[in-house]
Amino acid sequence: MTAFFRPFAGPVAALLLSVAGLAASAMPAAAVDIQEVTSPGGIHALLVEDYTNPLIAVKFAFKGAGATADPEGKAGTANLLSGLLDEGAGDIGSAEFQAKLDELGVSLSYDASYDGFSGNFRTLVENQDAAFDLLRLSVNAPRFDEEPVNRIRAQILTGIVSNENDPDTLAGKAFRETVFAGHPYGRPVEGTRETLPGIGKADLEAFRAKGFARDDLYVGVVGAIDGKTLGEKLDEVFGSLPAKADLPPVPEVQPITGKSVAVALNVPQTVIQLALPGVKRDDPNFFAAYLMNQVLGGGSFSSRLYQEVREKRGLAYGVSSFLASYDHTAMLGVSTATRSDKAQESVEIIRQELTRMAEDGPTEDELAKAKAYVKGSYAIRNLDSSLAIASTLVGIQLDDLGRDYIDRREGLIDAVTMDDVKAMARTLLSVDPTVVTVGPAGA
């Protein structure tokens, strides 16, 4: 995805990590045997047993406990929290906690997105008892000592300040505030200069206490562990969490279209971003829209936008479109950067391609190639490591796709007709997009 609207830690994001020098095992889609596991305490997870390497990979997510749940005036709370859960827990201080992770060969990290809060954990089987205990402490008893809180906050603030004149960052700010005006999606996940200094230990603990609960928890596990043992570990790590989360309601929102925003910045290139309506993941027409977008500009060098903007005219190094589906909105975006004196021409070419797709749809050959690519790339993008598979298992649950989704996916794609794709093209692209540019005034 592009930089202007920070994506969620996507349900199917492929997160590639290694532990103790051991590479994660790749697994073809046909080999993914997904089990449902319910712990004695009632915690659910999806598990793929894999004894290729003596590793266990865990991905877990708390749905809704993301930046949209940041308290008013304290944007960045969830993101700050994500940097502190491995900085000491229980009676173990920050330096000692980090040393124990290193000693055991444990990989532990957290991420906050707009719609959720996720954790990534990997351990060697031989160290699993001590490793899972560190994970338990991290989730349930983080310390939030003054030194690490100040240090992590300072790191985030440094990044914010250093990016204040970055074209992509400015475009992201203008884009969020225009397309999602007045909505939590319009705030930056990382917070701001103004909000971060006011976030303290009490705010972090309150957010954790309200957002980390058993009813908004989704878990995916891959590796050398059986269902019975996993159930015991699930209760050990998550069993003491509250039964229900206490999160603020987040309203549904439609992207605001038809706006034109130009941010003046004296740089050689102009960043261009467009927003149109999208399709949420649970929409029956999701794959029709996905295939249409693949033809339009979904990342391949054969896409229409790439051919028209770069190959034929040399206006930009790259151009792409994407579908973004979140809990409370959906959007189709287009992003590129071009020489500032070619910015208006580039916008016009993009508009023409949007109109052409809306009126005519793709050709039979374009649709066939899009289907083949979307089917063939899935395993590479989502099943190429143990943690990537675990992440996919969480995504399947978050999107309520069903345990057999991986087996059904190709059939769902094949069932999409040309009429389906044309209908979605008309629906999504026959709208005047919002256009945001960052570059020299008058470009």
Side-chain angles (χ1 to χ4, degrees):
M1 283 214 188
T2 52
F4 62 86
F5 183 50
R6 171 173 171 167
F8 297 93
V12 293
L15 303 176
L16 308 178
L17 299 174
S18 64
V19 176
L22 292 176
S25 57
M27 187 176 298
V32 180
D33 180 16
I34 301 173
Q35 306 172 42
E36 292 186 17
V37 174
T38 301
S39 75
I43 297 171
H44 300 281
L46 292 183
L47 166 66
V48 172
E49 287 189 55
D50 176 21
Y51 297 90
T52 307
N53 287 315
L55 301 171
I56 302 168
V58 181
K59 173 82 172 187
F60 57 95
F62 295 101
K63 184 179 177 68
T68 56
D70 284 346
E72 189 67 31
K74 296 193 175 182
T77 300
N79 186 61
L80 180 57
L81 177 65
S82 72
L84 289 164
L85 293 185
D86 63 349
E87 292 281 350
D91 60 358
I92 307 174
S94 174
E96 185 182 356
F97 195 91
Q98 290 290 321
K100 285 181 177 291
L101 292 175
D102 290 341
E103 177 185 345
L104 295 170
V106 174
S107 175
L108 176 62
S109 64
Y110 293 91
D111 184 71
S113 59
Y114 277 104
D115 279 337
F117 192 103
S118 62
N120 308 289
F121 169 82
R122 286 193 40 195
T123 180
L124 294 165
V125 171
E126 64 183 84
N127 297 329
Q128 64 176 299
D129 290 341
F132 273 104
D133 192 55
L134 289 177
L135 177 61
R136 175 188 65 82
L137 288 172
S138 178
V139 170
N140 293 276
R143 292 171 62 94
F144 303 128
D145 291 332
E146 184 177 2
E147 186 278 326
V149 170
N150 289 340
R151 171 165 44 84
I152 300 300
R153 182 196 290 117
Q155 290 174 3
I156 298 171
L157 281 168
T158 297
I160 291 172
V161 173
S162 67
N163 286 326
E164 284 182 340
N165 289 315
D166 174 69
D168 288 324
T169 301
L170 291 172
K173 181 176 186 295
F175 188 90
R176 287 191 308 270
E177 293 176 353
T178 302
V179 176
F180 299 110
H183 191 274
Y185 288 146
R187 304 187 304 226
V189 169
E190 63 272 19
T192 68
R193 276 194 191 211
E194 293 73 30
T195 61
L196 276 170
I199 301 171
K201 178 176 180 178
D203 301 301
L204 296 165
E205 179 53 40
F207 190 99
R208 189 202 65 82
K210 293 179 179 181
F212 291 13
R214 299 195 303 276
D215 70 328
D216 63 353
L217 172 65
Y218 296 82
V219 185
V221 181
V222 176
I225 188 169
D226 60 73
K228 181 177 182 299
T229 304
L230 174 59
E232 294 169 354
K233 294 302 183 186
L234 290 173
D235 281 347
E236 174 187 322
V237 174
F238 303 111
S240 297
L241 293 175
K244 292 186 178 297
D246 182 19
L247 295 167
V250 179
E252 296 293 305
V253 61
Q254 289 295 321
I256 296 172
T257 55
K259 299 288 186 179
S260 181
V261 177
V263 179
L265 186 68
N266 188 22
V267 289
Q269 284 199 320
T270 294
V271 175
I272 301 168
Q273 295 157 359
L274 291 83
L276 290 146
V279 174
K280 295 183 75 171
R281 186 61 187 85
D282 60 359
D283 192 299
N285 294 307
F286 174 81
F287 272 120
Y290 194 92
L291 291 166
M292 180 275 294
N293 177 69
Q294 182 65 28
V295 175
L296 177 65
S300 73
F301 296 142
S302 62
S303 73
R304 288 188 179 183
L305 288 176
Y306 191 90
Q307 289 296 312
E308 295 297 326
V309 175
R310 172 173 172 162
E311 292 298 300
K312 292 184 180 180
R313 296 172 177 84
L315 294 173
Y317 178 77
V319 58
S320 62
S321 64
F322 64 91
L323 279 174
S325 176
Y326 306 123
D327 284 358
H328 306 287
T329 193
M331 177 186 66
L332 189 152
V334 179
S335 179
T336 190
T338 187
R339 239 174 57 190
S340 294
D341 62 337
K342 297 293 185 179
Q344 293 307 314
E345 180 183 354
S346 298
V347 171
E348 186 55 35
I349 296 300
I350 292 170
R351 285 182 176 274
Q352 289 173 10
E353 289 307 306
L354 296 176
T355 299
R356 183 162 75 97
M357 181 66 80
E359 293 177 349
D360 302 330
T363 66
E364 292 286 355
D365 183 60
E366 285 175 324
L367 181 56
K369 288 179 178 177
K371 286 185 176 183
Y373 179 87
V374 170
K375 288 188 292 185
S377 64
Y378 185 76
I380 297 172
R381 296 172 60 185
N382 299 285
L383 307 175
D384 68 341
S385 76
S386 56
L387 196 51
I389 298 169
S391 185
T392 298
L393 297 180
V394 171
I396 287 171
Q397 297 173 79
L398 287 170
D399 292 333
D400 196 23
L401 299 176
R403 189 180 67 172
D404 61 346
Y405 170 72
I406 294 175
D407 295 328
R408 293 186 295 106
R409 183 177 180 274
E410 290 195 5
L412 295 172
I413 294 168
D414 286 334
V416 175
T417 68
M418 177 64 78
D419 287 342
D420 295 332
V421 176
K422 287 183 175 180
M424 289 311 301
R426 287 192 298 271
T427 299
L428 301 181
L429 305 181
S430 298
V431 176
D432 184 28
T434 283
V435 179
V436 172
T437 59
V438 176

